[in-house]
Amino acid sequence: MIEVLPVQASLSRLASRTGARPGARSVAATLLAVALAAVTLGPAASPAAAATIPAGAGSYTDSRPAGTSGPTTNTGAPVTPKLTAAARNKPVPTNDWWTSLAYQRYGDNPYSTPMYGHPLTYQAKASGLEVGYPTTPAIVGDGRQYEYAHKADLTVGLSGLNSPDTKADDWSDWTVTPYWADGSRTFRATIGHGMPFVYAKGSGGDARITTASTPTVFADNGNVVGITVAGHHYALFAPTGADWNISGTTITAGLAGKDYFSLAVLPSTDALATYRKYAYSFVTGSQVAWQTTGGNVRATYTLATEAKEGTERGTLQALYRHQWLHTTDALTPYTYVSPRGTMKVRESASFTTSQKNNGVVPALPATSGVDRARLTGYLNEVANASDPFSGARDTYWTGKALGKLAQLVPVADQIGQTAVRDKLLGLMKGRLQEWFTAGGASEFSYDKDWKTLTGYPASYGSDTELNDHHFHYSYYVYAAAIIAQYDASWAADSAWGTMIKHLIRDTANPSRTDSAYPFLRGFDVYAGHSWASGHQGFAAGNNQESSSESINLSAGLVLWGAATGDNALRDLGSYLLTTESEAITQYWFDASEQVFPASYKYGTVGMVWGSGASYSTWWTANPEEIHGINVLPVTGGSLHLAREKAAIKRNIAEMERENGGPAQEWRDLLWEFEALSDPASAKVKWDGVNGNYTPEEGESKAHTYHWISTLDTLGAPDMTVTGDLPTSAVFSKNGTRTYTAHNHGSTARTVTFSDGKTLSVPARSTATSTGPGGSDPDPDPDPGNPSTGNTFRLKSGGVLTTATTDPAGADTIASADGVNRDGTPYRPTVYEVKKVNGKVSAGAATAFRLRVDAGAKVGLAPQVRVSYDLTGDGTFDRTETFRYFATDPVNGWEEYTQAVGTRAVTGSLGELKAGTVRLEIWNALGNGTSQVQTGTDAAVLRIPYV
């Protein structure tokens, strides 16, 4: 095993695993009769006197099987949640960014491990809360890992505080309040994702800030002080009437009879006035609300606040890249550094994102490109195997086997092999029913302390560390959804549906009032993805390796909700899948090449950590597994990966470079991945092997053949078009689109696609139709090989792209703040493309066409600079600064081009070899913001290269 991450204890990692990460789990059950809201997950069974609790036709236990373990410390000692009395009966969302506050994984650390809220990082200690703002990445682990590791700039607490432990006192969707008490003093601090503030409350002592080095004071207004520590700017806010006293590295303030104070990390010293406005608007909770309609997923993220002084109830929030790429809400010019790229600041207590829904289909549609006789032979190999489950006994490997069979059921049905279909369904039902019946060799048990359901035999710390439940159970939910598609009675609550709903409640509970399971245990709604470790006990924070197995759960929710008529649960699955898809695109695959540090040599990662990411897995350094672990399992929920086809091509190319050649061990997974971008190339690789290979453990030749042949016939998924039914998809090849949808309902319905196409789908059926339209299967060519003319569009999010399918939008250009900025970029809006190759075109020159608008503001002047880093080494060899463009004070777009002429040119052009091209636009004059259009033919840069 390659160990490239800083951890506080060694981890045992079993070999021969297709996905793994850290965690733990225990068991025992209590009253489960709970009224669930929003989605119909069904009533929980009343507790039985004995250890077996009925759940429809199934059952689970309230005590672990003999000889097994629940959650433990690193020394194997049993552990219970570390909560205050106020929080004791509230289900703990293990697998979160802050879980080490509640889970004491290391017996000698009763406080916490580092917690990565972003932009701030935290660690609890006896004297209070360490706070840091890491802004410089380190490349560690033989170059495989980048990290912005926690390093305390200051510690916030009370004078004399010396608490024996830190407990979790309260939490909400992405905030948490740790609690300290030492017998004389009590201290609380509310922190969260995207929060530049720490909101503190205490009793028994003065507010105390201890800095890591002697601070520089840039503002001192009595109860409001601005300091700089380690190059980072902080503001300290005490109640009105209080006064901060600074003595060396210790800063204290009496609280003037109050019990609150706050601090904030500032993006710049001149932001102090803005942050002071919100310093006494204390955040008390956070909540996300989602809605899936008409092929779009909307989510609103809201902070609840209370005014400690005055009436201000607003606040400031730093949005991650996956959020600000998909919001039209106004953002300030303020930004922060984070391991996920630039965070942008919103001045409001809420914001809304909107994304196209990524559809999920039970199977790719039938095509003439599939040889039915050959496919039947492959299907029979699986159905007639002596052991279709390959000896699997634990939750993970049983799940993998169930997933393999589930993929083949609709494929067999599609070609009329009903006997094979029914045999596969019977195998799946039988194995699930074994697990869903207490008292046998396989069963589920409930832990009343941790409020979780664990399957035994467990694996990969799903019991002792509460790891990976969303990975393991994703296969059970997905398999049950396929069964429900063909046998609704099996999925009824009175039959086996109740047990499936327990697994859903354990992993992706949509209810915040369920006393038996936490809300969305492992899914971090603000980070946009799930976490795998149940205890979060690492110096690098929490982690997730197999993002695709997390997607598998979301896809299973879509299909289970659709098959059982639970549209709210279906729409939850759509929200989770669509949100995590963008997070994967940005943070695992760096599709826009704007997230990974410039010094990091890899273009994809196997694992994301709170502090950064790593080109690794838990069990091997083999590049095939590093790339493949975020692909498996390949299902009708994997189509979302096709949104970034150029990124897939770069991903496959990197794997082959690192591997020293094409994939061998996991070749089928990587062929299927490649087929989402370039089906013809994948088909050539499949044909070259002619079926002579060993499938990955969760795959089969039947599924791989069907997948590649179907996409070769239909073309790659066309993610520019969406249907208003979540179980629909579109494919495109040579100007022809193929539309497909599955209707789980009992009546026919018409599906409407975003390009105007309609498709009538009979009840409980799949329908397919073709029509004109569509784009090239690779609408976003690799920027490393730009097309002739080398014209790049500006894309919101700081990207120059050759794609022509991105939606139109607009970005804000920051104010010049009343200072003449002519010739010198000031808080510029930056657009960039990396890894560009090209030779200078004789006689050509840099050209651009931009639309800008200052609204009714007077005297603004956008200005552009274009820079060329010829070798991608971080040094720009050529810069061209153009004259500014004086805007008019009338609402409406105005055109700004290179025709204004250059103001200054430095350096020389030369051949681009994996180079970088950057366009910066800023306001050279004036005292207000303006806008620049993105995503259109009037938002382009043309470079003088061929």
Side-chain angles (χ1 to χ4, degrees):
M1 182 186 101
I2 298 296
E3 190 66 72
V4 299
L5 294 155
V7 298
Q8 295 182 1
S10 62
L11 294 175
S12 63
R13 199 79 206 132
L14 301 182
S16 70
R17 158 92 160 108
T18 64
R21 34 266 114 182
R25 139 93 205 107
S26 82
V27 11
T30 183
L31 180 83
L32 294 181
V34 180
L36 291 178
V39 295
T40 312
L41 292 184
S46 298
T52 298
I53 302 172
S59 57
Y60 59 95
T61 64
D62 66 355
S63 58
R64 292 190 302 273
T68 63
S69 296
T72 63
T73 66
N74 59 313
T75 60
V79 63
T80 55
K82 191 158 55 83
L83 310 175
T84 64
R88 198 155 292 150
N89 295 320
K90 189 176 178 181
V92 180
T94 56
N95 309 72
D96 216 331
W97 67 275
W98 56 264
T99 302
S100 62
L101 282 170
Y103 193 129
Q104 188 176 341
R105 176 63 178 162
Y106 300 99
D108 58 352
N109 179 8
Y111 304 104
S112 81
T113 52
M115 301 173 289
Y116 293 82
H118 306 146
L120 292 172
T121 62
Y122 314 95
Q123 184 167 8
K125 54 191 293 187
S127 59
L129 184 69
E130 288 185 351
V131 178
Y133 173 40
T135 53
T136 302
I139 308 300
V140 298
D142 297 328
R144 287 175 171 264
Q145 175 193 346
Y146 77 85
E147 66 172 3
Y148 294 76
H150 168 70
K151 182 179 181 181
D153 289 336
L154 49 85
T155 300
V156 54
L158 301 178
S159 295
L161 180 64
N162 185 23
S163 179
D165 60 22
T166 309
K167 297 180 172 71
D169 183 57
D170 194 17
W171 54 84
S172 55
D173 288 8
W174 63 89
T175 64
V176 65
T177 301
Y179 173 87
W180 294 255
D182 63 6
S184 300
R185 288 157 288 266
T186 64
F187 180 64
R188 293 173 173 84
T190 297
I191 56 179
H193 276 315
M195 285 170 48
F197 285 94
V198 176
Y199 303 97
K201 294 182 68 176
S203 64
D206 293 342
R208 176 186 174 105
I209 308 293
T210 305
T211 57
S213 58
T214 303
T216 300
V217 179
F218 64 83
D220 188 347
N221 301 307
N223 70 318
V224 177
V225 170
I227 62 173
T228 301
V229 182
H232 305 139
H233 310 301
Y234 291 90
L236 314 179
F237 304 98
T240 299
D243 190 8
W244 290 102
N245 176 59
I246 304 175
S247 177
T249 59
T250 301
I251 307 173
T252 58
L255 296 179
K258 304 295 194 297
D259 66 350
Y260 58 83
F261 63 100
S262 66
L263 66 85
V265 62
L266 304 180
S268 60
T269 56
D270 60 6
L272 178 58
T274 300
Y275 280 65
R276 181 174 185 170
K277 178 181 178 182
Y278 302 107
Y280 304 102
S281 178
F282 274 43
V283 168
T284 58
S286 56
Q287 185 164 308
V288 64
W290 59 86
Q291 183 182 36
T292 302
T293 56
N296 290 294
V297 175
R298 289 175 59 84
T300 298
Y301 300 82
T302 303
L303 291 175
T305 63
E306 65 174 346
K308 292 294 186 181
E309 293 185 11
T311 59
E312 180 60 61
R313 295 290 301 276
T315 191
L316 296 159
Q317 300 183 74
L319 278 63
Y320 283 115
R321 180 178 180 83
H322 76 274
Q323 295 168 325
W324 56 255
L325 280 174
H326 296 285
T327 187
T328 58
D329 291 341
L331 302 174
T332 72
Y334 300 130
T335 62
Y336 290 104
V337 174
S338 88
R340 311 292 178 253
T342 300
M343 299 182 80
K344 297 188 176 185
V345 177
R346 163 89 166 143
E347 191 172 2
S348 175
S350 70
F351 64 91
T352 298
T353 61
S354 181
Q355 294 177 253
K356 290 182 178 179
N357 187 21
N358 291 301
V360 177
V361 292
L364 299 184
T367 69
S368 59
V370 173
D371 183 323
R372 295 192 173 202
R374 186 177 187 183
L375 179 57
T376 298
Y378 288 145
L379 287 168
N380 283 326
E381 286 181 10
V382 177
N384 297 329
S386 58
D387 179 8
F389 292 91
S390 303
R393 297 309 309 169
D394 63 72
T395 47
Y396 182 76
W397 289 102
T398 296
K400 291 270 291 185
L402 286 167
K404 176 173 67 175
L405 301 183
Q407 298 310 310
L408 301 183
V409 169
V411 170
D413 186 56
Q414 194 177 91
I415 63 171
Q417 291 293 325
T418 56
V420 174
R421 175 201 67 191
D422 293 344
K423 184 172 184 178
L424 295 172
L425 285 169
L427 290 168
M428 292 160 60
K429 289 177 183 179
R431 184 52 60 93
L432 284 171
Q433 288 165 200
E434 287 179 22
W435 275 91
F436 291 166
T437 303
S442 307
E443 66 179 17
F444 284 91
S445 297
Y446 181 80
D447 184 326
K448 65 177 177 60
D449 294 320
W450 289 98
K451 301 190 187 310
T452 188
L453 194 70
T454 300
Y456 291 90
S459 52
Y460 307 108
S462 61
D463 51 352
T464 57
E465 299 179 357
L466 290 177
N467 292 344
D468 298 3
H469 284 205
H470 61 313
F471 295 152
H472 296 207
Y473 302 171
S474 72
Y475 293 102
Y476 293 69
V477 174
Y478 199 110
I482 295 297
I483 294 172
Q485 180 179 328
Y486 293 91
D487 187 351
S489 63
W490 185 92
D493 287 349
S494 59
W496 303 98
T498 297
M499 282 300 296
I500 288 296
K501 290 178 179 179
H502 273 292
L503 299 189
I504 293 172
R505 287 165 66 192
D506 182 71
T507 54
N509 190 6
S511 172
R512 296 180 181 86
T513 60
D514 188 345
S515 63
Y517 298 99
F519 171 71
L520 296 180
R521 179 185 303 280
F523 191 84
D524 187 327
V525 296
Y526 205 90
H529 60 82
S530 297
W531 296 110
S533 167
H535 54 75
Q536 188 262 308
F538 301 94
N542 213 324
N543 72 92
Q544 178 157 266
E545 183 183 61
S546 182
S547 60
S548 48
E549 285 180 305
S550 182
I551 287 286
N552 195 46
L553 176 61
S554 301
L557 296 178
V558 172
L559 295 178
W560 172 266
T564 59
D566 191 338
N567 290 345
L569 188 60
R570 178 199 67 187
D571 292 348
L572 167 64
S574 291
Y575 162 67
L576 298 177
L577 191 155
T578 300
T579 303
E580 191 153 21
S581 172
E582 186 62 56
I584 294 166
T585 294
Q586 299 299 331
Y587 311 142
W588 273 262
F589 297 157
D590 195 17
S592 301
E593 299 180 295
Q594 298 292 312
V595 172
F596 297 172
S599 54
Y600 190 59
K601 69 178 183 178
Y602 295 102
T604 190
V605 295
M607 305 172 70
V608 163
W609 287 80
S611 65
S614 176
Y615 188 80
S616 64
T617 72
W618 278 107
W619 80 102
T620 182
N622 185 344
E624 296 185 32
E625 277 91 336
I626 292 171
H627 289 257
I629 193 59
N630 287 292
V631 175
L632 65 82
V634 176
T635 75
S638 302
L639 303 182
H640 74 100
L641 293 169
R643 286 190 299 112
E644 299 287 349
K645 296 180 174 61
I648 293 176
K649 290 187 175 183
R650 293 196 302 271
N651 193 307
I652 295 293
E654 180 175 70
M655 183 278 297
E656 293 184 346
R657 286 195 305 271
E658 295 295 318
N659 202 46
Q664 298 296 319
E665 190 173 345
W666 278 7
R667 62 183 76 182
D668 45 356
L669 284 172
L670 294 164
W671 293 335
E672 290 171 306
F673 183 40
E674 184 174 16
L676 293 170
S677 171
D678 189 345
S681 177
K683 184 66 160 51
V684 168
K685 292 176 181 177
W686 163 268
D687 289 341
V689 173
N690 196 31
N692 296 317
Y693 71 98
T694 300
E696 184 270 333
E697 291 89 338
E699 263 297 341
S700 64
K701 294 177 183 178
H703 181 252
T704 303
Y705 171 66
H706 181 268
W707 182 271
I708 293 174
S709 298
T710 300
L711 291 178
D712 184 54
T713 303
L714 300 181
D718 185 344
M719 305 307 290
T720 67
V721 182
T722 57
D724 62 0
L725 184 68
T727 51
S728 61
V730 182
F731 307 86
S732 180
K733 182 176 183 179
N734 298 331
T736 298
R737 283 184 175 137
T738 299
Y739 305 80
T740 188
H742 185 84
N743 176 14
H744 289 86
S746 58
T747 59
R749 67 158 294 167
T750 297
V751 177
T752 301
F753 292 86
S754 58
D755 63 353
K757 173 72 174 182
T758 59
L759 178 64
S760 179
V761 190
R764 300 187 180 91
S765 300
T766 296
T768 303
S769 180
T770 59
S775 56
D776 186 274
D778 185 7
D780 189 6
D782 188 337
N785 295 285
S787 57
T788 302
N790 299 333
T791 299
F792 299 91
R793 284 194 184 194
L794 277 64
K795 177 180 178 180
S796 287
V799 177
L800 293 172
T801 176
T802 54
T804 59
T805 56
D806 297 309
D811 286 340
T812 298
I813 308 174
S815 170
D817 292 337
V819 177
N820 188 325
R821 313 288 184 177
D822 184 17
T824 304
Y826 176 70
R827 294 196 291 172
T829 301
V830 180
Y831 302 88
E832 193 172 79
V833 59
K834 298 180 180 180
K835 300 180 182 177
V836 183
N837 300 310
K839 295 183 178 180
V840 178
S841 177
T846 302
F848 60 87
R849 179 188 180 200
L850 303 175
R851 284 184 177 172
V852 293
D853 180 29
K857 302 180 185 75
V858 178
L860 302 193
Q863 189 167 23
V864 160
R865 181 169 76 179
V866 179
S867 304
Y868 298 87
D869 173 359
L870 301 179
T871 60
D873 63 358
T875 299
F876 285 95
D877 306 280
R878 165 87 167 188
T879 62
E880 302 174 11
T881 304
F882 293 83
R883 299 184 187 280
Y884 63 65
F885 177 80
T887 54
D888 63 28
V890 179
N891 285 310
W893 296 110
E894 301 174 75
E895 192 158 277
Y896 176 25
T897 74
Q898 78 285 346
V900 299
T902 56
R903 182 186 185 281
V905 177
T906 62
S908 302
L909 291 171
E911 185 176 357
L912 282 165
K913 298 180 178 179
T916 299
V917 179
R918 175 184 293 175
L919 182 149
E920 300 165 272
I921 183 168
W922 69 98
N923 276 316
L925 303 173
N927 200 11
T929 61
S930 57
Q931 288 189 307
V932 61
Q933 196 173 90
T934 60
T936 73
D937 289 331
V940 296
L941 167 68
R942 187 173 69 249
I943 62 175
Y945 283 84
V946 293

